[in-house]
Amino acid sequence: MSEKPRANQTEGQRGTGLKTSVNHNATFGMIQKVTASLLLSTIAMTSMASTDAQKTQTQWYQADMIVFLNEQSMNGSEKWPEVTAHPQPANVIKLKSYKPGADETSSDLGSFLNRPEKKPVVDLERDAFVSLPYPSHLLQKESSNLSKNGSYRILAQKAWLMPVKEGESTLPVSIQTYNTQSETPSMLKGTVAVSSSRFLHVDVNLWYSELAWEALAKNRGDLQSLPESLPESLPEPQQKPEVNEALPLVTTPDGQSMKITRNFQLQESRKITNNEEIQYLDSPVIGVLFKLTPYQRPDQPPLPEITTDQEEKPELGTLPGIVDQKDG
């Protein structure tokens, strides 16, 4: 049963009480609206921050790449383009080579800590753009299959670690190999770049060029003619042959010049939707196998291994380093 108004309340007083109740309800509804608005604004700001964090997120990958030649394209049936200069971009990244020396394999803690800073140790698990040794390659099976197939010849096989930031493109990685000791000397030169924008993308731009010794002397009379007899074997490529960007010429480490007789370009971009798949970029002359595998980069470098080998203790009554202590 509802409570009756007290007898001593006037109509005006009772009316004032009703208006006060209505004002309280209106104020409570306004507070609810403001609270809901603030909540939605906070959710929107959190979502925007999360999106920005995703855009700036960096993921590490191991890149594996095999470039191979289709031997059947050498028979002349495939029309090759005219010989042109193909310079590389100025901002390319050259893979650092890893050649373990005595310092890298030493287990002595003192020599490890006293290592000169001018000769830093290459960390294969944490450093980017270092050419990984073959045991770390993930396309060994594919490499073996190509080598067994007489229709193909591997021109280059490389693997390296690299960070990829969402919404950005990595600098192009330089790919260069030279073969000047076969019957048909050749050169592979170009770049590969990776970008991330919702999906990963790989951009490959490679030139395969055939080289010749005799063509230079016939077509370039203003240059020094080649020696009468070529060396049986060229020196080990401690320094790589230099390429004249203005002319289709290549200079070998021993100073001799070769001419590019014909070249073929493979330029293609591919979207990577599945990291488990190997990307196959094909052309009539050269082909590329490329794979990006997510990599968990360690936060800290590994500590040096310390061996626990102990020297034999000298027997009692003898002095170390003295073979015979008997009276003479």
Side-chain angles (χ1 to χ4, degrees):
M1 180 178 293
S2 62
E3 183 180 357
K4 293 182 179 180
R6 290 195 297 257
N8 58 354
Q9 279 186 315
T10 65
E11 286 293 331
Q13 290 174 329
R14 289 196 295 270
T16 303
L18 180 60
K19 179 182 281 189
T20 302
S21 175
V22 172
N23 289 340
H24 279 300
N25 291 337
T27 302
F28 180 74
M30 183 178 296
I31 292 174
Q32 281 185 319
K33 290 181 179 180
V34 172
T35 303
S37 177
L38 289 174
L39 181 60
L40 290 174
S41 177
T42 302
I43 293 175
M45 292 177 63
T46 304
S47 177
M48 290 175 62
S50 176
T51 303
D52 291 340
Q54 290 179 355
K55 288 182 179 180
T56 58
Q57 184 179 7
T58 299
Q59 171 67 51
W60 279 71
Y61 294 91
Q62 174 171 329
D64 285 80
M65 182 178 188
I66 298 178
V67 185
F68 57 93
L69 176 71
N70 183 359
E71 296 281 15
Q72 296 179 354
S73 64
M74 302 295 102
N75 56 17
S77 59
E78 181 65 34
K79 184 178 180 181
W80 291 43
E82 295 183 3
V83 176
T84 56
H86 34 83
Q88 288 188 339
N91 59 343
V92 296
I93 296 178
K94 294 183 179 180
L95 295 178
K96 293 176 288 187
S97 60
Y98 172 70
K99 295 181 180 179
D103 289 342
E104 284 79 356
T105 57
S106 175
S107 60
D108 179 55
L109 180 60
S111 63
F112 180 85
L113 296 177
N114 295 327
R115 186 186 313 277
E117 293 182 359
K118 62 182 180 180
K119 293 183 179 180
V121 178
V122 175
D123 189 344
L124 292 178
E125 294 183 352
R126 302 178 72 252
D127 290 353
F129 304 109
V130 176
S131 186
L132 299 178
Y134 182 77
S136 301
H137 291 200
L138 301 180
L139 297 181
Q140 296 183 22
K141 180 180 178 181
E142 290 72 17
S143 172
S144 177
N145 291 338
L146 286 171
S147 299
K148 294 176 182 177
N149 192 323
S151 300
Y152 304 104
R153 173 160 54 93
I154 294 179
L155 301 174
Q157 181 171 358
K158 298 182 181 294
W160 64 92
L161 302 178
M162 63 188 306
V164 179
K165 184 177 291 187
E166 177 66 23
E168 296 185 5
S169 176
T170 64
L171 294 176
V173 176
S174 174
I175 304 295
Q176 295 189 53
T177 60
Y178 303 88
N179 179 10
T180 57
Q181 300 187 28
S182 67
E183 295 181 358
T184 306
S186 62
M187 174 183 68
L188 177 70
K189 182 181 180 182
T191 59
V192 55
V194 175
S195 60
S196 176
S197 179
R198 292 188 59 194
F199 294 101
L200 291 167
H201 292 79
V202 56
D203 295 283
V204 174
N205 185 14
L206 296 172
W207 286 87
Y208 173 76
S209 303
E210 286 188 350
L211 310 175
W213 304 94
E214 67 279 5
L216 177 62
K218 294 177 180 178
N219 299 309
R220 298 287 299 174
D222 56 328
L223 295 177
Q224 268 188 340
S225 49
L226 297 175
E228 296 180 0
S229 60
L230 297 176
E232 295 182 359
S233 61
L234 294 175
E236 291 294 327
Q238 301 282 337
Q239 59 185 85
K240 295 180 179 178
E242 297 179 0
V243 180
N244 187 332
E245 305 293 2
L247 297 172
L249 304 178
V250 176
T251 304
T252 61
D254 62 347
Q256 300 189 60
S257 297
M258 302 181 70
K259 182 179 178 64
I260 300 177
T261 57
R262 61 176 182 172
N263 53 197
F264 192 92
Q265 183 184 24
L266 169 59
Q267 186 173 18
E268 187 175 346
S269 178
R270 181 67 56 84
K271 180 171 70 174
I272 302 176
T273 58
N274 186 353
N275 288 326
E276 299 298 325
E277 295 180 352
I278 299 174
Q279 308 302 316
Y280 175 41
L281 293 79
D282 188 23
S283 78
V285 177
I286 58 176
V288 173
L289 298 180
F290 187 83
K291 189 175 190 298
L292 275 181
T293 305
Y295 177 76
Q296 187 65 37
R297 180 177 181 266
D299 294 331
Q300 299 294 333
L303 293 174
E305 296 181 0
I306 302 178
T307 59
T308 58
D309 296 339
Q310 296 182 355
E311 297 181 359
E312 295 182 2
K313 295 182 179 180
E315 298 178 4
L316 294 178
T318 63
L319 296 177
I322 300 178
V323 178
D324 189 1
Q325 300 184 43
K326 295 181 182 181
D327 295 336

